[in-house]
Amino acid sequence: MKNKAIGAASAICAAVLMTAAQAQDVVLRTQDDAIRLTGELLSFDGSVYELRSEIGVVKLDAALVLCEGEACPEIEPSKDFAVTGAPGLAELILPAALSATGEDAFAVDTNGDTQVFNVTRDSESYAQIAATAKSSEAAFADLASGAGAVALTTRGANDTELQAFEAAGVLPLSESIIAVDGLAIVTPFNNPLPSISLLDVARIFSGQVQNWSELGGPDLAITRYVRGSDTLIAEVFDTLVLDLAGEELSADVVVMDSDMDLAERVANDPSAIGFKHFSDLTTARQMPIIGRCGLVVSPNAFNIRAEEYPLSFRLRAVTANRPASPFVEELMARIPSQQVQDALAESGVMSQTLTRSPVDQQGMRFASALQSRKIVDALPRLQAMVTEMVVSERLSSTFRFESGSRTLDERGERDIERVAELLMQETSDGSGKTVRVIGFTDSLGDPTLNQELSERRAQQVLDALLAAEPALAERVDLRPMGFGDVSPIGCDQSTTGRWINRRVEIWISAATR
């Protein structure tokens, strides 16, 4: 193939260059400069450097180090790379990203468990992408070792995985959010339970709860329907439900081949419960979820996009801080584009396209606020909040921050651009808008300090919007405000709940100047 020929030619060229300049010293260093060796470059075969240094002769993988010095070979970087990760995700994101600009064409070959995307550009072979379905854990391991250039995952790296990346000297990680999706717990429509807690879901699927009567339902033995353990949604269920409860899946389950088959089976079985991807169109009832503090959240597209539904999850493309194919960066940059998001939506994945929710569909948040033990002290702030929101619609983009910092997370950075673009489009006719940028915090700490923090966070998001599109200052009435901990939508007793509550929302109405 052409790529192999290029690799062979590069190796020969490198060998010639080595002969001409082998007496000169070079520096081989990792991307983060944690490891740095100086010495005489003895040889380079196209993939491995051999260096005589103060510690002796060493061999270093060219994929892990940079070469500096006149004796370094000039190598055309390979555009080939490997992708590992969540089952089915590569088949969704790679065709969408490869087709986004119309610059590339591709054909797919299957080699065992691996799909090979043969990419052509200008009618010539351009790159090969080898995509293998693995768990998020295995994908992160491949990324840390260098066996994979991109990890497609359903979660972020955990502490153990971050330690492996640190040991490999390839932090920080870079990620692009492919989509925000949701897992639905489904039952027949005639199931009398109005909602269900995540703890009870874990107890059911681990086999601790065997009969619906144990949860206040009918005297009926429970039948559990699941997706196969090698599917993306099964991994998400393990992570968000079973692992958090310290449980394991019961052996007494019925495995279904598709979400559609599972939903149809559940809909026609009075004893059934199952899990699947959220869908606006489903034959089974998608149960509202009760959080640890009693907050009830319904599975709908808006709540999932806003990441307020407890079983929302991000699909991510993650790269490590090491030299990689230039084509990796090119494709990673395409993922947030509207072309890719539209293609994902056509494939049934929930895109990150902005949507709206009128205030009358936000009733649960007000009910939650009214149930707060702090309601007497917070009532004036709650009344002020409702006054601002009642004339507005909320955007699904909800801004959150990196843990312990004032830095917007990766999704927030992208959504700044999306919101700015939307506001520019909607005011192009001169009609104007009033945009309320509203900050909130969790309930930990001093309420006065939380109030001040929520206001600072709102101002930070407003400043980011103006930095992205300065013309908004003339077109839009931007109003930053904060209401502290007055409107919880998650449980502050959990890490996830606190993260959900620390947010900035965007509410839009007609111009009121």
Side-chain angles (χ1 to χ4, degrees):
M1 292 184 59
K2 180 183 176 184
N3 291 320
K4 291 182 179 179
I6 290 174
S10 296
I12 293 170
C13 179
V16 172
L17 288 171
M18 289 308 309
T19 301
Q22 64 183 35
Q24 299 182 43
D25 281 355
V26 301
V27 175
L28 298 180
R29 65 175 183 86
T30 56
Q31 187 86 3
D32 62 355
D33 246 355
I35 298 174
R36 197 177 175 93
L37 289 175
T38 301
E40 179 186 349
L41 188 56
L42 300 177
S43 67
F44 178 65
D45 65 2
S47 60
V48 175
Y49 293 106
E50 185 176 20
L51 183 77
R52 179 182 288 121
S53 69
E54 292 181 354
I55 61 173
V57 176
V58 295
K59 293 184 177 181
L60 295 173
D61 188 338
L64 302 179
V65 295
L66 300 173
C67 184
E68 297 177 347
E70 292 184 6
C72 290
E74 295 182 9
I75 310 165
E76 180 182 344
S78 171
K79 298 182 179 65
D80 300 346
F81 61 94
V83 174
T84 59
L89 194 48
E91 293 93 319
L92 283 173
I93 189 59
L94 288 179
L98 290 170
S99 304
T101 63
E103 190 175 12
D104 303 315
F106 63 92
V108 182
D109 295 329
T110 300
N111 183 9
D113 295 332
T114 300
Q115 286 190 313
V116 179
F117 290 75
N118 297 294
V119 183
T120 57
R121 182 173 290 183
D122 297 327
S123 301
E124 293 187 2
S125 178
Y126 186 71
Q128 276 191 342
I129 306 171
T132 307
K134 295 185 179 181
S135 66
S136 292
E137 180 180 11
F140 278 127
D142 284 349
L143 190 60
S145 70
V150 181
L152 301 177
T153 70
T154 61
R155 59 172 177 81
N158 58 35
D159 289 342
T160 300
E161 290 158 346
L162 287 173
Q163 289 171 7
F165 285 112
E166 184 174 13
V170 292
L171 288 179
L173 302 180
S174 176
E175 71 176 28
S176 187
I177 305 301
I178 299 169
V180 177
D181 210 339
L183 182 150
I185 305 300
V186 292
T187 62
F189 279 97
N190 61 3
N191 185 305
L193 294 182
S195 54
I196 193 166
S197 72
L198 289 182
L199 179 59
D200 283 339
V201 173
R203 293 170 63 215
I204 288 172
F205 281 92
S206 66
Q208 292 185 49
V209 174
Q210 294 285 347
N211 194 293
W212 283 110
S213 62
E214 298 176 57
L215 301 179
D219 183 11
L220 194 62
I222 297 174
T223 305
R224 306 165 187 84
Y225 293 90
V226 302
R227 294 298 314 280
S229 59
D230 60 346
T231 60
L232 180 155
I233 202 65
E235 177 180 282
V236 171
F237 183 80
D238 287 347
T239 301
L240 296 184
V241 180
L242 294 179
D243 290 352
L244 289 181
E247 303 291 351
E248 294 184 358
L249 188 66
S250 169
D252 183 22
V253 295
V254 181
V255 180
M256 304 300 295
D257 291 334
S258 71
D259 281 2
M260 183 180 296
D261 290 343
L262 186 146
E264 290 179 357
R265 182 71 70 88
V266 167
N268 292 291
D269 181 351
S271 68
I273 189 171
F275 64 81
K276 57 182 282 294
H277 287 272
F278 168 81
S279 173
D280 285 323
L281 302 173
T282 182
T283 55
R285 177 191 177 206
Q286 300 178 133
M287 292 276 280
I289 300 297
I290 307 170
R292 186 184 300 179
C293 300
L295 302 177
V296 181
V297 183
S298 296
N300 61 52
F302 187 90
N303 287 341
I304 291 170
R305 283 192 172 99
E307 296 183 270
E308 294 171 4
Y309 173 62
L311 296 180
S312 300
F313 58 93
R314 294 181 177 186
L315 299 174
R316 312 162 191 250
V318 187
T319 59
N321 186 25
R322 63 160 55 90
S325 162
F327 200 35
V328 171
E329 295 183 6
E330 190 176 337
L331 291 183
M332 289 284 285
R334 292 181 191 179
I335 289 174
S337 70
Q338 194 59 50
Q339 297 98 316
V340 170
Q341 293 297 309
D342 289 345
L344 291 174
E346 291 177 5
S347 301
V349 175
M350 191 175 298
S351 72
Q352 297 178 75
T353 300
L354 299 178
T355 59
R356 286 177 166 82
S357 175
V359 71
D360 60 1
Q361 292 180 14
Q362 297 277 307
M364 188 55 67
R365 68 182 302 157
F366 300 128
S368 299
L370 290 170
Q371 291 174 9
S372 170
R373 287 176 294 180
K374 299 182 179 182
I375 186 59
V376 174
D377 295 333
L379 187 57
R381 283 185 291 145
L382 179 61
Q383 291 173 326
M385 181 189 77
V386 173
T387 299
E388 297 292 347
M389 292 179 175
V390 73
V391 295
S392 306
E393 290 184 321
R394 182 184 168 193
L395 281 188
S396 56
S397 178
T398 303
F399 294 94
R400 295 185 172 90
F401 301 81
E402 298 287 356
S403 178
S405 78
R406 298 186 61 211
T407 304
L408 284 170
D409 66 13
E410 195 276 342
R411 186 188 177 195
E413 294 284 357
R414 298 290 186 181
D415 277 358
I416 286 290
E417 299 173 9
R418 292 188 177 103
V419 172
E421 182 180 359
L422 175 72
L423 293 176
M424 290 296 291
Q425 289 175 348
E426 295 196 353
T427 57
S428 60
D429 60 356
S431 58
K433 295 286 182 185
T434 296
V435 178
R436 294 164 176 84
V437 184
I438 306 180
F440 297 94
T441 68
D442 58 39
S443 63
L444 304 185
D446 180 80
T448 301
L449 294 179
N450 284 338
Q451 174 67 28
E452 294 173 356
L453 176 60
S454 68
E455 292 170 359
R456 289 199 302 272
R457 288 278 173 85
Q459 183 65 52
Q460 181 182 344
V461 170
L462 185 152
D463 291 343
L465 287 170
L466 289 176
E469 186 48 78
L472 285 174
E474 300 298 324
R475 291 194 184 190
V476 176
D477 179 12
L478 289 164
R479 301 182 182 182
M481 56 191 72
F483 294 105
D485 58 8
V486 75
S487 184
I489 51 180
C491 180
D492 283 335
Q493 279 64 46
S494 70
T495 301
T496 301
R498 291 191 294 275
W499 178 81
I500 289 174
N501 287 335
R502 300 165 182 163
R503 68 198 189 275
V504 175
E505 300 175 356
I506 305 294
W507 290 74
I508 300 179
S509 65
T512 56
R513 289 196 242 195

